[in-house]
């Protein structure tokens, strides 16, 4: 049977670059930047005043001058007013450009202004204080953000500042999520006691939405001819097909045979893991990738996070740091499978991530996903995992 490590390698070897596209910068949040962002001018673009107050020449302080004639008022955005003598100053506001004839800002709290004359109320003045110098943060042409990162609000702010109204971002693959199973009914239907409402395609769609990937969904019955016709159509339309259900040993599990009949080359079937053992992965001759997950909701959810998301990130060129947590309780698992135990995460007072196992009732217990935050990947070689040991986790929620 294929090990988790092998399955991961086989899938990551199929990572693709789907190209890039321009999008309005306000719609780029959460996408992956496909270009370096550069400063179109110095940041800040002038010597920028950082306090409301008066601008003076420091030489005046050195020569003992304490009172200054106010030559004018400079607001942010104004052309600076220059002084002609050491005993002159200008009132100046935060964000305004420093006049070249001045070099120091004394904040309003430290001056008394009456009848057009400013008197210093402090001896504590440093040359150059309260000025953010031109080009100090970034120089014109310098890179301010590098490609291959998720665009976050700071990128949006920077794009606005450097006048990039569109951003080049990585294109996302076209994905269809197909659920299978005659026992599944629509969300707005009332199931008999023998039926269930389908939830997997919504779960998968929601996870992908976090990557701004809007997938199509489709449901097909457990019937080989319809399965064949529908999957054939999808192979011509999408880059990736994610299936749930129909790949196990059941009498009505037609998916693997249909896929192989459609020239989707099987790259593996069955992974040495729990949940998700029947996982099937293959590649069509036209390059379309097919990830067929077992239908049990926890299996689909785990396989999506453990295999599809790393593939997606590799395809988009981003490298997320692996996350680890410390076990809070012992876990025993004796089957010869790599166990992905569901855990609740908590940050301890020392800032470390602690994981409390909440095993749930098997891969059909999707309610347990609401009580947990991540899958913890426990090594295959061991069967006893002790409190205090640290293992890799695959979070499916934001850790707070
Ligand atoms: P299968 O892998 O098709 O044998 O399905 C395994 C179990 O998962 C069955 O109990 C199914 O009812 C359930 N299941 C399959 N697909 C879905 C789905 N889309 N939503 C919810 N449960 C599902
Ligand atoms: Mg089924």
């Amino acid at each position: 049977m294929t090990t988790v490590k092998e399955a991961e390698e086989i899938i990551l070897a199929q990572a693709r670059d789907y190209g890039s596209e321009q999008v309005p910068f306000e719609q780029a949040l959460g996408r992956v930047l496909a270009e370096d962002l550069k400063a179109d001018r110095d940041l800040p673009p002038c010597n920028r005043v950082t306090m409301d107050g008066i601008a003076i020449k420091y030489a005046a302080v050195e020569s003992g001058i304490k009172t200054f004639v106010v030559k004018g008022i400079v607001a942010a955005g104004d052309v600076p007013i220059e002084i002609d003598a050491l005993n002159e100053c200008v009132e100046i506001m935060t964000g305004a450009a420093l006049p070249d004839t001045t070099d120091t800002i004394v904040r309003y709290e430290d001056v008394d202004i009456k009848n057009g004359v400013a008197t210093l109320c402090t001896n504590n003045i440093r040359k150059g204080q309260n000025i953010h110098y031109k080009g100090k943060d970034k120089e014109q042409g310098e890179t301010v953000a590098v490609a291959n990162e998720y665009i976050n609000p700071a990128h949006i702010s920077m794009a606005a500042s450097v006048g990039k109204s569109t951003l080049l971002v990585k294109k996302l693959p076209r994905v269809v999520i197909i659920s299978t199973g005659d026992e599944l009914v629509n969300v707005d239907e009332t199931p008999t006691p023998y039926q269930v409402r389908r939830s997997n395609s919504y779960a998968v769609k929601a996870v992908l939405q976090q990557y701004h990937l809007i997938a199509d969904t489709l449901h097909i019955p457990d019937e080989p001819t319809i399965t064949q016709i529908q999957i054939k159509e999808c192979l011509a339309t999408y880059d990736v097909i994610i299936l749930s259900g129909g790949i196990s040993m059941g009498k009505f599990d037609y998916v693997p045979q249909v896929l192989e009949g459609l020239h989707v080359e099987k790259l593996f079937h069955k992974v040495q893991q729990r949940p998700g053992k029947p996982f099937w992965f293959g590649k069509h001759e036209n390059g379309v990738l097919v990830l067929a997950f077992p239908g049990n909701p926890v299996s689909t959810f785990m396989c999506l996070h453990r295999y599809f998301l790393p593939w997606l990130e590799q395809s988009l060129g981003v490298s997320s740091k692996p996350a680890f947590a410390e076990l809070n309780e012992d876990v025993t698992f004796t089957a010869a499978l790599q166990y992905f135990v569901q855990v609740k995460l908590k940050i301890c007072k020392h800032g470390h991530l602690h994981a409390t196992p909440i095993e749930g009732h098997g891969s059909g217990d999707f309610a347990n996903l609401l009580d947990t935050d991540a899958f913890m990947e426990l090594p295959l070689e061991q069967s006893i995992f002790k409190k205090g040991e640290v293992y890799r986790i695959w979070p499916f929620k934001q850790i707070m």
Side-chain angles (χ1 to χ4, degrees):
M1 207 183 320
T2 308
T3 64
V4 168
K5 183 102 196 60
E6 288 161 353
E8 174 183 48
E9 282 165 9
I10 292 167
I11 291 175
L12 292 183
Q14 298 300 328
R16 305 275 155 79
D17 183 349
Y18 291 95
S20 53
E21 59 186 340
Q22 296 281 352
V23 296
F25 81 107
E26 286 174 276
Q27 289 166 26
L29 186 67
R31 300 289 299 271
V32 175
L33 193 60
E35 60 178 337
D36 289 349
L37 275 189
K38 301 206 187 280
D40 66 328
R41 55 187 192 149
D42 286 345
L43 295 177
C46 62
N47 293 326
R48 194 179 73 90
V49 170
T50 63
M51 285 281 187
D52 301 318
I54 61 168
I56 60 170
K57 184 113 183 136
Y58 187 73
V61 176
E62 286 179 317
S63 61
I65 295 171
K66 292 226 176 289
T67 59
F68 298 84
V69 174
V70 178
K71 181 105 189 278
I73 300 179
V74 185
D78 285 354
V79 176
I81 298 169
E82 301 298 338
I83 58 171
D84 301 310
L86 278 187
N87 69 341
E88 286 182 353
C89 72
V90 290
E91 285 187 57
I92 199 152
M93 307 304 136
T94 300
L98 182 78
D100 288 339
T101 47
T102 66
D103 57 15
T104 301
I105 304 298
V106 184
R107 56 187 193 149
Y108 274 137
E109 291 88 331
D110 294 331
V111 287
D112 184 27
I113 303 179
K114 270 198 199 88
N115 303 323
V117 174
T119 305
L120 300 181
C121 317
T122 179
N123 292 321
N124 185 14
I125 298 171
R126 269 178 309 103
K127 185 177 181 183
Q129 70 183 23
N130 302 326
I131 298 160
H132 185 186
Y133 286 101
K134 178 177 193 283
K136 172 109 170 126
D137 303 345
K138 296 285 173 192
E139 285 177 7
Q140 182 178 18
E142 215 180 310
T143 299
V144 291
V146 290
N148 299 327
E149 284 186 357
Y150 288 115
I151 295 172
N152 64 44
H155 286 101
I156 302 292
S157 158
M158 184 52 76
S161 294
V162 303
K164 285 281 289 179
S165 56
T166 61
L167 291 173
L168 192 68
V169 300
K170 296 286 174 77
K171 258 195 194 160
L172 293 156
R174 294 162 301 168
V175 177
V176 62
I177 306 158
I178 306 176
S179 58
T180 68
D182 286 349
E183 75 282 25
L184 303 172
V185 300
N186 278 329
V187 177
D188 50 12
E189 283 177 63
T190 306
T192 68
Y194 320 109
Q195 296 176 318
V196 281
R197 293 193 186 91
R198 51 178 153 271
S199 59
N200 283 351
S201 33
Y202 297 100
V204 174
K205 193 176 163 95
V207 172
L208 301 193
Q209 235 169 320
Q210 295 172 341
Y211 293 78
H212 299 256
L213 198 164
I214 308 301
D216 290 336
T217 54
L218 184 67
H219 179 74
I220 50 186
D222 290 323
E223 201 286 311
T225 310
I226 302 176
T227 304
Q228 201 259 0
I229 293 168
Q230 299 276 15
I231 294 181
K232 189 173 180 196
E233 254 184 64
C234 290
L235 284 168
T237 315
Y238 296 96
D239 299 309
V240 179
I241 300 176
I242 296 177
L243 279 137
S244 86
I247 53 161
S248 303
M249 303 297 289
K251 282 263 150 55
F252 306 101
D253 291 339
Y254 298 113
V255 170
Q257 76 189 57
V258 165
L259 287 170
E260 285 174 53
L262 288 167
H263 307 286
V264 184
E265 182 197 354
K266 179 180 79 179
L267 297 177
F268 62 75
H269 187 190
K270 295 203 173 90
V271 179
Q272 204 175 356
Q273 61 183 5
R274 183 175 295 163
K277 187 166 149 206
F279 180 18
W280 191 104
F281 177 66
K283 181 168 82 166
H284 187 244
E285 53 197 14
N286 71 4
V288 177
L289 299 177
V290 180
L291 293 93
F293 300 144
N296 266 313
V298 179
S299 306
T300 290
F301 208 64
M302 193 287 279
C303 290
L304 183 72
H305 285 84
R306 179 62 183 87
Y307 300 102
F308 179 77
L309 294 184
W311 172 87
L312 180 65
E313 292 205 318
Q314 183 133 324
S315 295
L316 295 174
V318 280
S319 45
S320 287
K321 289 190 200 84
F324 296 86
E326 185 178 321
L327 259 184
N328 247 354
E329 288 169 20
D330 294 356
V331 176
T332 303
F333 183 78
T334 50
L337 299 169
Q338 185 141 0
Y339 185 33
F340 289 84
V341 64
Q342 289 171 73
V343 294
K344 179 98 195 142
L345 297 172
K346 204 174 144 201
I347 298 170
C348 76
K349 62 176 191 260
H350 306 294
H352 300 139
L353 211 48
H354 283 244
T356 306
I358 303 177
E359 300 202 47
H361 308 108
S363 52
D365 181 5
F366 50 89
N368 201 54
L369 293 172
L370 291 166
D371 297 329
T372 53
D373 303 309
F375 293 101
M376 180 175 257
E377 183 171 339
L378 300 175
L380 184 61
E381 311 76 47
Q382 283 167 241
S383 51
I384 295 169
F385 309 90
K386 289 277 186 206
K387 175 183 161 95
E389 292 175 355
V390 172
Y391 297 109
R392 184 143 189 205
I393 51 164
W394 299 87
F396 46 81
K397 289 181 197 160
Q398 289 226 309
I399 308 157
M400 284 296 168

